[in-house]
């Protein structure tokens, strides 16, 4: 989930339903999906439970990244 941005090119996406903190989520997404994001906690305590995504590349690359993250989230966690 994420709120519609109001003029910026960053998304602040909720990861609260994943059971991971923002640092773990970003590290695992980078390792397993090859997608880089910034942990929300980097922006302060209230940012925990979110990740920041920069929408600064072409749409095709953003869609590919979203698909990789979707597949990463569908994998069983140990």
């Amino acid at each position: 989930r994420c709120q519609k941005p109001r003029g910026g090119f960053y998304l602040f996406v909720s990861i609260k339903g994943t059971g991971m903190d923002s640092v773990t989520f970003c590290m695992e997404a980078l390792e397993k999906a090859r997608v880089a994001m910034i942990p929300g906690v980097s922006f302060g305590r209230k940012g925990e439970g979110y990740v920041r995504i920069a929408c600064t590349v072409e749409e095709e690359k953003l869609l590919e990244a979203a698909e990789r993250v979707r597949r990463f989230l569908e994998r069983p966690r140990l």
Side-chain angles (χ1 to χ4, degrees), residues 13-64:
V13 180
S14 174
I15 57 157
K16 292 179 180 180
T18 68
M20 291 181 260
D21 63 64
S22 62
V23 172
T24 300
F25 183 92
C26 288
M27 295 300 290
E28 288 196 21
L30 181 60
E31 179 184 324
K32 296 175 181 169
R34 309 298 295 162
V35 175
M37 294 173 265
I38 304 295
V41 74
S42 298
F43 301 95
R45 188 173 42 92
K46 290 186 178 182
E48 186 53 71
Y50 296 88
V51 295
R52 188 176 88 161
I53 301 170
C55 300
T56 56
V57 297
E58 55 271 5
E59 186 176 351
E60 183 178 310
K61 287 186 178 185
L62 288 172
L63 292 171
E64 173 63 26

Side-chain angles (χ1 to χ4, degrees), residues 28 32 75-78:
E28 288 196 21
K32 296 175 181 169
R75 292 181 193 163
R77 290 193 74 220
L78 299 176

